[in-house]
Amino acid sequence: MPIVREPKPLPTPLDYVPPNGIPYDVTSEDSWDKLAQRQDMRNAGVSSNDLCYFNFKTRHPAEINWYLYHKVGCRHATRDHANYMFSQADSPGVVYLPKAGVILPVHETKDEPRMNAWLGIVGKAGTMFVVAGIETVAGAVVSLDDPSKWMAIGASVNRVGIGWGATGGFAFVFITGVDRPEKLNGWQQGDPDFNLALGENWGKMAKSASKLKKIEPVLKAMSKIGAKTPGTLKKLLKTEPNKYVDLVKAVKSIRDYGNLKADGAPEVFMWDVPWGSGGVEASGFYGLANFNAIWDGTE
């Protein structure tokens, strides 16, 4: 079910009609992105987010969902269940498009708060023998506030628990509460964890890990990117900037739903790249990670 938040106070009443707006009856073939691709909208330089703001005076996904439900009459959810979508059955099923040639304040923005979030890929290697083990991590993450900024990160994880085996491979990493490398340097994070590196079981582990549930949109976005190593991620985001935009949207969605604390203490989430890990390990352990980071200027 889409996450909905009623704006308080309402930026516009439910009977609001945008000045210089033309009513448009939505269909099941429509979406905000498709409406923004109309030639008249492209000529005016209006984005899908601008259209939402033009109609509702908000840019927050959860608040847009509230308006779609209560004003447009949307009842169908997108495939990822994150948002409401247009349908022929919507009642009244009307949104407004700006008239051609009229200069409108659709680009009004307030300063976006920093997310202080980073996404990337790390290589890792770990061993567990009966009651003790160690794991090393190294890779790179990109700022979700500035695509030109990268951090090189590393960590050593001391494990205490019961288990056996050795694994190696790659993992996705998501970091919050960090605006610069110095804030991550020396950060210690302890987590009870269960590592089951047995190929297809990754999907079950990802779904059952309660810590990862609150960042589920980020997990899905990273899985769709298709990068397997830090190097391939850098090249991909450089040659296909739209993929970076998709990552930013995913992180903004969890911020708007209250699951991202930009100004809190650092928090690091790591989950295996499903096709990138090797070895077999089954262990339940408590891991204490010590992180370090520097600016990464490599290409």
Side-chain angles (χ1 to χ4, degrees):
M1 180 178 178
I3 298 178
V4 176
R5 183 177 69 209
E6 179 181 357
K8 294 183 178 180
L10 291 180
T12 60
L14 290 177
D15 59 356
Y16 172 74
V17 176
N20 298 307
I22 301 173
Y24 177 85
D25 295 320
V26 299
T27 72
S28 300
E29 302 300 317
D30 286 321
S31 69
W32 291 115
D33 287 336
K34 285 185 178 180
L35 292 178
Q37 288 301 310
R38 286 167 46 115
Q39 193 61 51
D40 53 346
M41 297 298 102
R42 294 173 64 182
N43 291 342
V46 177
S47 70
S48 57
N49 195 253
D50 289 332
L51 287 176
C52 293
Y53 185 83
F54 178 66
N55 277 269
F56 312 131
K57 294 295 183 181
T58 180
R59 296 179 185 273
H60 295 292
E63 294 178 356
I64 292 170
N65 280 332
W66 186 89
Y67 275 107
L68 287 173
Y69 185 92
H70 291 279
K71 182 174 182 176
V72 184
C74 298
R75 295 295 185 269
H76 293 80
T78 53
R79 286 186 179 181
D80 60 5
H81 303 290
N83 299 293
Y84 282 112
M85 61 187 290
F86 296 135
S87 167
Q88 193 77 40
D90 294 345
S91 179
V94 175
V95 297
Y96 293 88
L97 304 180
K99 291 180 180 179
V102 177
I103 299 176
L104 300 171
V106 293
H107 299 289
E108 287 178 1
T109 58
K110 296 180 180 178
D111 290 337
E112 278 274 343
R114 287 183 58 85
M115 291 188 287
N116 292 335
W118 306 73
L119 266 171
I121 298 177
V122 295
K124 63 173 192 167
T127 59
M128 192 75 192
F129 182 70
V130 188
V131 294
I134 191 170
E135 184 170 65
T136 57
V137 172
V141 292
V142 63
S143 166
L144 277 305
D145 293 301
D146 184 346
S148 68
K149 292 184 177 180
W150 287 77
M151 281 196 306
I153 66 169
S156 60
V157 184
N158 295 309
R159 300 172 168 184
V160 178
I162 298 177
W164 56 269
T167 55
F170 294 94
F172 295 126
V173 60
F174 178 48
I175 301 171
T176 65
V178 173
D179 59 350
R180 61 193 184 281
E182 302 89 84
K183 192 167 182 182
L184 191 61
N185 273 329
W187 174 251
Q188 290 188 332
Q189 183 169 311
D191 285 308
D193 203 356
F194 179 78
N195 189 53
L196 185 60
L198 298 175
E200 294 180 357
N201 283 326
W202 177 90
K204 297 177 182 178
M205 291 303 300
K207 291 178 181 178
S208 64
S210 59
K211 183 180 177 181
L212 296 180
K213 282 187 178 297
K214 67 179 182 179
I215 63 164
E216 188 173 357
V218 179
L219 270 70
K220 291 180 178 179
M222 282 298 285
S223 296
K224 291 178 181 179
I225 288 292
K228 301 180 182 180
T229 68
T232 56
L233 178 63
K234 283 188 175 185
K235 291 180 180 178
L236 193 62
L237 296 186
K238 187 175 182 180
T239 57
E240 299 184 47
N242 61 303
K243 293 187 179 295
Y244 176 82
V245 174
D246 290 339
L247 295 179
V248 172
K249 287 180 179 178
V251 175
K252 281 187 175 181
S253 73
I254 66 171
R255 178 195 66 185
D256 294 337
Y257 299 152
N259 287 332
L260 173 63
K261 297 179 180 178
D263 299 321
E267 188 168 14
V268 181
F269 304 83
M270 282 197 293
W271 64 101
D272 284 352
V273 176
W275 54 82
S277 298
V280 175
E281 176 180 356
S283 57
F285 62 85
Y286 182 87
L288 180 62
N290 294 275
F291 292 93
N292 57 79
I294 60 172
W295 289 116
D296 181 7
T298 62
E299 293 294 329

